[in-house]
């Protein structure tokens, strides 16, 4: 029997394997794909790129790794990130404890043995004392249920399940459905390849230019010389941005504009940290949203298209803020058309294209940039059964419930990495992953030292944590948007704000305090001799 079974060989799974193996645990990782990489194995769509600067989007557990790896761009593209992950697997000899081409489709807790039995799609079973779900917050790709999809005679691809061999759009009539992060990245690149590109947009999103550029040796050397300071700060705030302690409502119109122009010209998500009240004060948020809409009008030549691309109805930052390379300017190209689905909804997909109320668009290929069943989707696809055979998907039918974002009551010895109830997608994912790996590693060591074979979350502690997470979200503007943070992109999914909006440093203190106090909020026990 294994000590620990880990599901997923992305950033989280690799770090767990490296950490727990070094602590003497017998660990095995199970991965659907043929190699390591997680989301970066599947997200190979044109323009796929991280929106966290590459020098930050990296592991901190090895000082040698930090210094030896050389990033080429400010924002790394998918191929470079995948090379990095594969380098880590090779450098630390991780592949020997990973079962590739293996999909876990069930996991059942045996209360008499304090162990999990995991089943694979190949009919195999694996026993482990502890099970850790490193399945990813954004890994369960979702294609909308549009009538007639199966009838389409052309190519159809989802950005989150992109063919490894790539797709040639040369000379083709292409549609992209969706203008979230993946759509905003893919659209400018596909527009350069396709004979004609039609973008079907339901909701306009705020996106900030990346102004991506090569990383100079000098800039990289300077960052690496201060890596310890950078990492220490990131452990508190999540991602290293230029924060300000001043509120937008305290600044004059000229001062606000100067700040917005400066940050727009610098590029990246740092734009939303121009003032400290932008995510809690609607009037302040209106000033930065108006500035972005002004930039759209300056960039997009056709005023009707510019207005359609201008986000309305949700504050800036309450949906995932996007980072782009030439997105708005792409709509000035003669081979690009924008279809506003709020005015002309899709009625059906036909064998030859997409039909809206205004008529049919003839197409050779459709790209679904329609996102994921975020935070809970990958877990819901596994038949997870806890105490008494209770299924996790049933327990979470009214919304996910966790204690500290780490465990859910009634599912002993089951840990979740960057899931609901943790900062997760609201911070640099690598920083969030490392915090979880460190806490779980400590927890397993403490259980082993004290002779415990089981740990479970207490229901009352879980209830308090869920209420705390909800209350924290309600103090912000986040609930004003129908975002995937709330599950609003999945029909029938309960509207619950899933991430914890506190800074990672605050969250770390809360998790550590529970452990320091003897794992308050958890119940530990041992099998009888």
């Amino acid at each position: 029997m294994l000590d620990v079974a880990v599901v997923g060989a992305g950033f989280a799974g690799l770090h767990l394997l490296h950490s727990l193996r070094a602590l003497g645990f017998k660990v095995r990782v199970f991965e659907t794909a043929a190699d390591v990489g997680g989301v970066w194995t599947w997200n190979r769509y044109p323009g796929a790129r991280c929106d966290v600067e590459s020098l930050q989007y990296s592991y901190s557990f090895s000082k040698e790794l930090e210094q030896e790896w050389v990033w080429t761009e400010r924002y790394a593209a998918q191929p470079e990130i995948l090379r990095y992950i594969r380098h880590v697997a090779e450098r630390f000899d991780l592949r020997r404890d990973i079962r590739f081409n293996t999909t876990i489709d069930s996991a059942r807790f045996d209360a008499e043995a304090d162990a999990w039995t995991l089943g694979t799609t190949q009919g195999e079973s694996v026993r482990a004392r502890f099970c850790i779900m490193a399945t990813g917050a954004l890994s369960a790709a979702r294609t909308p249920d549009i009538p007639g999809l199966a009838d389409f005679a052309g190519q159809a691809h989802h950005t989150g399940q992109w063919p490894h061999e790539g797709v040639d759009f040369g000379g083709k009539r292409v549609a992209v459905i969706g203008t979230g992060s993946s759509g905003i990245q893919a659209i400018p690149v596909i527009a350069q390849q396709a004979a004609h590109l039609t973008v079907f947009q339901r909701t306009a999103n705020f996106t900030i230019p990346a102004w991506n550029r090569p990383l100079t040796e000098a800039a990289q050397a300077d960052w690496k010389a201060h890596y310890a300071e950078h990492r220490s700060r990131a452990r508190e705030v999540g991602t290293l941005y230029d924060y300000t302690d001043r509120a937008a409502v305290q600044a004059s119109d000229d001062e606000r504009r100067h700040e917005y122009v400066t940050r727009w010209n610098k590029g990246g998500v740092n734009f939303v940290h121009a003032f400290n009240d932008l995510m809690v004060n609607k009037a302040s948020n209106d000033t930065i949203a108006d500035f972005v809409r002004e930039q759209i009008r300056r960039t997009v030549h056709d005023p009707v298209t510019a207005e359609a691309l201008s986000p309305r109805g949700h504050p800036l930052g309450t949906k995932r803020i996007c980072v782009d390379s030439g997105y708005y300017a792409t709509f000035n190209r003669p081979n690009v058309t924008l279809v506003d689905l709020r005015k002309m909804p899709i009625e059906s997909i036909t064998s030859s294209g997409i039909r809206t109320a205004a008529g049919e668009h003839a197409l050779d290929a459709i790209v679904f940039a329609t996102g994921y069943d975020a935070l809970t989707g990958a877990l819901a696809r596994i038949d997870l059964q806890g105490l008494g055979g209770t299924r996790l998907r049933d327990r979470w039918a009214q919304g996910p419930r966790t204690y500290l974002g780490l465990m859910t009551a009634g599912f002993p010895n089951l840990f979740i990495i960057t899931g609901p109830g943790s900062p997760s997608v609201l911070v640099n994912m690598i920083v969030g992953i490392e915090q979880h790996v460190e806490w779980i590693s400590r927890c397993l060591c403490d259980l082993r030292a004290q002779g415990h074979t089981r740990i479970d979350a207490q229901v009352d502690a879980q209830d308090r944590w869920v209420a705390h997470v909800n209350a924290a979200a309600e103090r912000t503007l986040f609930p004003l948007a129908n975002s995937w943070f709330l599950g609003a992109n999945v029909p029938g999914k309960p509207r619950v704000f899933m991430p914890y909006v506190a800074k990672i440093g605050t969250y770390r203190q809360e998790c550590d305090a529970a452990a320091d106090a003897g794992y308050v909020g958890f119940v530990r026990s041992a099998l009888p001799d």
Side-chain angles (χ1 to χ4, degrees):
M1 184 170 74
L2 297 171
D3 293 322
V4 184
V6 177
V7 183
F11 272 103
L14 294 190
H15 190 12
L16 280 162
L17 175 55
H18 177 262
S19 175
L20 294 175
R21 195 168 69 182
L23 293 169
F25 291 97
K26 185 179 180 182
V27 188
R28 188 169 299 153
V29 178
F30 300 88
E31 169 57 49
T32 296
D35 202 355
V36 299
V39 68
W40 298 106
T41 294
W42 308 106
N43 275 357
R44 296 167 181 254
Y45 60 85
R49 189 179 298 278
C50 188
D51 56 8
V52 175
E53 293 181 342
S54 53
L55 284 161
Q56 298 190 53
Y57 195 76
S58 58
Y59 289 120
S60 70
F61 65 77
S62 168
K63 305 309 176 188
E64 294 77 17
L65 176 65
E66 284 182 337
Q67 295 299 319
E68 72 189 18
W69 184 263
V70 178
W71 295 99
T72 66
E73 296 181 277
R74 180 186 180 192
Y75 295 100
Q78 178 271 338
E80 185 170 15
I81 297 171
L82 191 57
R83 286 196 300 273
Y84 173 76
I85 298 173
R86 289 175 172 174
H87 170 76
V88 171
E90 185 70 23
R91 191 189 192 287
F92 297 100
D93 189 24
L94 300 179
R95 286 189 178 88
R96 64 181 167 91
D97 288 318
I98 304 175
R99 285 276 305 277
F100 295 108
N101 301 305
T102 303
T103 299
I104 301 297
D105 63 357
S106 67
R108 295 173 175 82
F109 185 71
D110 181 347
E112 293 184 0
D114 280 355
W116 284 89
T117 300
L118 286 71
T120 74
T121 53
Q122 293 94 336
E124 302 171 301
S125 64
V126 180
R127 297 270 287 176
R129 175 74 67 210
F130 300 96
C131 181
I132 305 178
M133 291 295 167
T135 47
L138 298 173
S139 59
R142 179 184 173 275
T143 299
D145 185 15
I146 301 175
L149 174 57
D151 299 328
F152 184 59
Q155 296 176 296
H157 305 289
H158 192 288
T159 52
Q161 297 172 324
W162 204 257
H164 287 199
E165 66 274 14
V167 180
D168 181 9
F169 291 118
K172 294 182 178 179
R173 299 162 300 178
V174 183
V176 173
I177 300 176
T179 53
S181 183
S182 60
I184 283 171
Q185 289 185 338
I187 284 165
V189 181
I190 295 175
Q192 295 172 16
Q193 303 171 359
H196 192 88
L197 173 63
T198 305
V199 177
F200 291 84
Q201 171 191 274
R202 183 186 62 179
T203 304
N205 268 311
F206 290 100
T207 179
I208 312 303
W211 306 125
N212 192 39
R213 60 181 181 271
L215 277 174
T216 66
E217 290 185 13
Q220 198 152 183
D222 179 69
W223 185 275
K224 289 182 176 181
H226 300 91
Y227 241 140
E229 301 165 39
H230 295 320
R231 297 298 197 191
S232 178
R233 178 62 177 154
R235 287 169 65 86
E236 295 302 315
V237 298
T239 310
L240 297 180
Y241 295 128
D242 179 16
Y243 295 93
T244 179
D245 292 330
R246 192 179 187 189
V249 292
Q250 296 173 336
S252 68
D253 291 345
D254 288 344
E255 289 170 331
R256 280 195 300 268
R257 182 169 186 81
H258 177 268
E259 188 68 24
Y260 296 154
V261 168
T262 299
R263 289 176 182 257
W264 182 271
N265 291 337
K266 183 177 180 180
V269 178
N270 189 44
F271 181 74
V272 303
H273 301 285
F275 295 98
N276 66 4
D277 63 340
L278 293 174
M279 294 306 300
V280 296
N281 186 312
K282 181 62 166 54
S284 294
N285 194 284
D286 287 343
T287 67
I288 197 169
D290 286 342
F291 176 85
V292 174
R293 288 189 281 263
E294 177 189 335
Q295 303 314 303
I296 297 171
R297 291 191 296 271
R298 287 175 177 268
T299 304
V300 180
H301 299 160
D302 178 58
V304 175
T305 302
E307 177 57 29
L309 290 167
S310 297
R312 308 280 181 183
H314 67 276
L316 183 145
T318 54
K319 287 177 176 280
R320 180 180 178 180
I321 193 77
C322 300
V323 177
D324 73 271
S325 295
Y327 176 68
Y328 292 123
T330 296
F331 291 90
N332 294 328
R333 296 176 61 97
N335 70 325
V336 176
T337 301
L338 178 67
V339 176
D340 187 346
L341 294 180
R342 292 188 181 276
K343 295 180 179 179
M344 292 176 287
I346 293 175
E347 294 182 346
S348 66
I349 294 176
T350 69
S351 61
S352 57
I354 294 176
R355 179 182 296 123
T356 72
E360 184 167 338
H361 298 263
L363 300 166
D364 302 303
I366 300 174
V367 174
F368 291 95
T370 47
Y372 302 89
D373 185 350
L375 287 112
T376 62
L379 295 173
R381 293 182 180 186
I382 300 172
D383 183 17
L384 280 163
Q385 296 185 30
L387 294 174
T390 300
R391 286 180 164 83
L392 184 70
R393 63 173 70 110
D394 294 335
R395 184 64 61 84
W396 286 6
Q398 301 305 313
R401 303 186 69 79
T402 68
Y403 177 47
L404 295 174
L406 289 161
M407 302 190 78
T408 188
F411 293 80
N413 295 3
L414 178 74
F415 296 92
I416 303 167
I417 302 291
T418 61
S422 76
S424 186
V425 293
L426 298 183
V427 300
N428 177 350
M429 290 298 296
I430 310 301
V431 177
I433 285 168
E434 291 192 327
Q435 184 272 331
H436 272 193
V437 171
E438 291 166 7
W439 194 93
I440 292 171
S441 297
R442 173 191 174 181
C443 178
L444 295 187
C445 285
D446 289 344
L447 292 172
R448 180 175 61 185
Q450 296 156 10
H452 292 133
T453 56
R454 181 191 293 195
I455 183 170
D456 196 2
Q458 294 178 337
V459 173
D460 58 344
Q462 178 174 278
D463 290 344
R464 288 193 298 271
W465 182 254
V466 170
H468 175 61
V469 170
N470 290 338
E474 289 297 330
R475 291 193 290 269
T476 73
L477 302 179
F478 277 111
L480 299 183
N482 288 319
S483 70
W484 55 258
F485 297 142
L486 290 130
N489 63 317
V490 180
K493 190 170 183 176
R495 282 182 58 91
V496 176
F497 194 83
M498 294 180 283
Y500 181 36
V501 300
K503 288 183 178 179
I504 190 73
T506 300
Y507 174 70
R508 185 187 305 277
Q509 291 173 4
E510 291 168 318
C511 292
D512 289 348
D516 292 343
Y519 293 92
V520 63
F522 297 94
V523 177
R524 293 168 294 166
S525 61
L527 288 171
D529 294 333

